[in-house]
Amino acid sequence: MDRTNDRQPRPATKAATKAAPKAAAKARGPYAVGDERRRRILDVAVEHFAQWGFHASSLARIAKEVGVTQGGLLHHFRSKEDLLVSVLERSEEHDIEQSFAEDFDSAADCFLRLIDLVAYNSRRPGRTRMFNVLIGEASDPGHPAHAFFKRRYATVTTRLTDTFEAAVASGELHPDTDCTAVVHELIAVMDGHQLQWALAPDEVDMAARLRLYFDRLYRSISREGASLP
């Protein structure tokens, strides 16, 4: 009987075993460099979009600051539109990980976590100013970020409304609370404070101001008229 297919492969030699990790490490090297360059491009793009907006930002200027050619930048991002969407999606993923990875325990917990997010945003001015600039631009349906911001506001509104409706059902909030209206109001106030902060960051403490506003709002809709913890 032919046992050719039953033969077991010979164990690797010591030399081959030692060479394997080195080869793997060498293979990983270019990927690590590419990932780092991609992160650098995204970080620089945030600052450029914050300063000049989307239309006035230049891929050539972004590439020059990163230290790559424009062709090198386009190796990672197909176009300026693709770069913008990647910047926004990366920022959104980070926000979710930072503050919204878990469900809210209550309406009070929701308010407190929003305050924490605002305080965090004040410590990363480039990203926050970028959002201010792009939100204004993206009101144009033809803007490449229009769909992103429309979806983002819809997602945030739905999640916060669901949280407050659950708080009504649990008895934390008044049964006649118009949850959707409350959410629209608090988003508008948050965005307004963010704009004021962008104009005078040394004079506007976003987190402190929103803490006062959220406390007044919570007392007005909570069944017990309680303040935030």
Side-chain angles (χ1 to χ4, degrees):
M1 181 181 295
D2 185 0
R3 297 183 178 273
T4 302
N5 294 332
D6 293 337
R7 293 172 186 164
Q8 298 298 317
R10 290 186 299 173
T13 64
K14 290 184 179 181
T17 303
K18 289 181 180 179
K22 292 182 180 179
K26 186 175 181 180
R28 286 195 298 269
Y31 292 105
V33 172
D35 289 344
E36 177 58 32
R37 184 167 295 156
R38 180 182 174 88
R39 284 192 294 269
R40 174 63 177 155
I41 292 170
L42 289 169
D43 289 342
V44 171
V46 166
E47 300 299 329
H48 282 246
F49 290 142
Q51 184 171 353
W52 290 292
F54 171 75
H55 295 297
S57 290
S58 161
L59 286 182
R61 286 199 302 264
I62 294 172
K64 183 178 180 180
E65 185 169 336
V66 174
V68 298
T69 64
Q70 186 168 332
L73 187 153
L74 291 171
H75 172 74
H76 296 279
F77 303 96
R78 297 186 302 274
S79 63
K80 189 166 69 167
E81 289 80 2
D82 182 38
L83 175 58
L84 173 65
V85 172
S86 297
V87 165
L88 292 172
E89 289 178 345
R90 180 197 186 203
S91 180
E92 183 176 44
E93 289 171 1
H94 186 73
D95 285 351
I96 292 172
E97 292 174 1
Q98 180 74 19
S99 303
F100 305 115
E102 299 178 358
D103 291 336
F104 300 113
D105 295 331
S106 62
D109 177 50
C110 175
F111 282 127
L112 294 175
R113 276 204 255 170
L114 288 174
I115 293 169
D116 288 342
L117 176 61
V118 168
Y120 178 65
N121 284 343
S122 68
R123 298 193 294 272
R124 47 177 186 165
R127 177 266 179 203
T128 305
R129 291 194 178 96
M130 178 192 71
F131 262 69
N132 287 341
V133 171
L134 293 178
I135 287 172
E137 287 186 349
S139 60
D140 175 7
H143 193 280
H146 179 81
F148 170 86
F149 280 110
K150 189 173 181 178
R151 175 185 58 77
R152 184 174 186 270
Y153 272 98
T155 300
V156 170
T157 298
T158 298
R159 181 163 186 187
L160 296 184
T161 299
D162 289 346
T163 297
F164 291 151
E165 287 178 347
V168 169
S170 71
E172 180 187 4
L173 301 182
H174 281 302
D176 59 349
T177 301
D178 186 337
C179 297
T180 301
V182 169
V183 169
H184 286 160
E185 177 186 333
L186 74 86
I187 290 175
V189 172
M190 288 179 69
D191 285 350
H193 276 92
Q194 189 164 279
L195 284 170
Q196 293 178 48
W197 171 86
L199 292 170
D202 295 333
E203 300 174 15
V204 177
D205 186 334
M206 283 196 293
R209 288 190 178 187
L210 284 169
R211 169 82 195 202
L212 292 173
Y213 162 70
F214 284 161
D215 190 62
R216 289 196 304 272
L217 178 59
Y218 185 67
R219 281 188 277 115
S220 72
I221 62 177
S222 64
R223 184 184 287 272
E224 304 298 330
S227 298
L228 288 175

